[in-house]
Amino acid sequence: SLAAVSANAAEMTVSGATVLTYTTKDTTEVTGNPFGMKTNIGFTASGDVNGMTVSYMQTVKDQFAGMSSARLTIDMGDMGTLAFDQGSGSGLGTIDDKTPTAAEEIWDGMDGTTVGGLVGATGASGVFNYIKSMGGVTFNGAARRGSGTANSDGSSSGGNGSAWDFALTGSGDALGVDGLAWGAGYGVVDNSDGANTVNGVVADDDEHLTAFVNYSFGPVTVGMQQSEMTFGAAGAASEQVEAFGIAFNVNDDLSISYGEREVEFGNDSADHVTEDTEGLAIAYTMGSMKIAGNRN
């Protein structure tokens, strides 16, 4: 077989963390054993190749159940950074929810296999990622050929669904507004290769769009975000999102936050459905240990 890129062995740096969790559900659900634990182990390495810095990272979570994310990066200096991403996050998905929070997002731990309203056309598996900063604005672009099915040394199992997206982020420095952070992005999933059909009709492309703005003054950060997703498959519900959050640093160690989020599912042939989420978070740091909690 042929390898596109091969690298010599490099010295690896290892870091890790252990997280002990306690989770309860509401009175209509069965919590079971509320205690759990996960161990995160991270490996990183870097070296010089023809004047460019090549680095690699891999993270293993959940008691060594398998690789959860990896990234191979080439730092080309003024030309930007090029990477191949297997789960670390790229493009539009890096700004799927930027509302302020002291711990996890307000939708963390909610029921269901997916959470509505989270943008990110390419996903984070088998994705090429390009990052470039200029004039205080950072471009983070991602592209994927074929499906987003996880792949290792070989092709993925799916054929359709090629995608691209990007995120632009910056601060208010250029505008003379201290404490301002903003971002916006757009992405498309291509369903036009003929493989994705509904009743014999080829589905249109999926589109993802989002924008956020956060403002910090003293110990307080407030922010809001709006997103929209339209899906090309017949009968698929579009999703429109409005969210806001406020976080307060009580002191250097303690922070609290509150947020709300509304997702409207726009059905073609049925009533629209609105999902409301709210969450309260608190975090306290003591050296290398942090105690954090969410009530979502």
Side-chain angles (χ1 to χ4, degrees), residues 38-62:
K38 67 178 181 179
T39 301
N40 303 335
I41 302 294
F43 302 88
T44 57
S46 64
D48 183 85
V49 179
N50 295 331
M52 296 183 295
T53 301
V54 178
S55 59
Y56 172 78
M57 63 77 63
Q58 177 178 329
T59 302
V60 181
K61 297 182 180 180
D62 301 330

Side-chain angles (χ1 to χ4, degrees), residues 143-167:
R144 181 195 75 218
R145 183 177 180 183
S147 74
T149 304
N151 44 41
S152 54
D153 186 10
S155 63
S156 63
S157 59
N160 67 308
S162 295
W164 60 266
D165 61 31
F166 69 89

Side-chain angles (χ1 to χ4, degrees), residues 38 101-108 257 281 292-294 296:
K38 67 178 181 179
T101 180
E104 299 293 344
E105 299 90 347
I106 63 174
W107 43 261
D108 184 70
S257 66
N294 281 72
N296 293 339

Side-chain angles (χ1 to χ4, degrees), residues 57-285:
M57 63 77 63
Q58 177 178 329
T59 302
V60 181
K61 297 182 180 180
D62 301 330
Q63 288 75 52
F64 299 95
M67 181 189 74
S68 58
S69 62
R71 186 177 183 90
L72 179 64
T73 303
I74 301 176
D75 188 342
M76 301 178 292
D78 293 340
M79 295 177 61
T81 300
L82 180 65
F84 185 74
D85 183 10
Q86 283 282 75
S88 65
S90 298
L92 188 61
T94 61
I95 60 169
D96 59 358
D97 186 350
K98 299 295 287 185
T99 52
T101 180
E104 299 293 344
E105 299 90 347
I106 63 174
W107 43 261
D108 184 70
M110 295 289 96
D111 288 343
T113 56
T114 61
V115 177
L118 293 183
V119 295
T122 62
S125 180
V127 173
F128 281 97
N129 180 210
Y130 177 73
I131 302 174
K132 169 69 174 176
S133 296
M134 183 179 299
V137 177
T138 298
F139 171 86
N140 190 324
R144 181 195 75 218
R145 183 177 180 183
S147 74
T149 304
N151 44 41
S152 54
D153 186 10
S155 63
S156 63
S157 59
N160 67 308
S162 295
W164 60 266
D165 61 31
F166 69 89
L168 295 173
T169 55
S171 65
D173 294 344
L175 304 175
V177 182
D178 295 335
L180 179 68
W182 60 269
Y186 177 76
V188 173
V189 181
D190 182 11
N191 294 318
S192 62
D193 61 359
N196 189 357
T197 61
V198 178
N199 297 325
V201 178
V202 177
D204 293 330
D205 295 343
D206 300 341
E207 293 183 293
H208 295 232
L209 176 68
T210 193
F212 77 90
V213 59
N214 292 337
Y215 180 65
S216 299
F217 50 100
V220 179
T221 299
V222 296
M224 65 176 297
Q225 183 158 358
Q226 289 189 321
S227 304
E228 182 174 352
M229 293 188 293
T230 57
F231 301 100
S238 62
E239 300 178 21
Q240 293 184 332
V241 184
E242 292 184 354
F244 82 89
I246 179 170
F248 175 61
N249 293 324
V250 180
N251 51 47
D252 291 340
D253 302 319
L254 178 64
S255 59
I256 59 175
S257 66
Y258 174 79
E260 292 186 5
R261 188 170 183 264
E262 180 181 282
V263 183
E264 183 180 72
F265 296 86
N267 296 297
D268 290 336
S269 57
D271 292 338
H272 294 189
V273 177
T274 300
E275 176 186 85
D276 292 317
T277 309
E278 60 180 348
L280 179 68
I282 186 170
Y284 183 71
T285 303

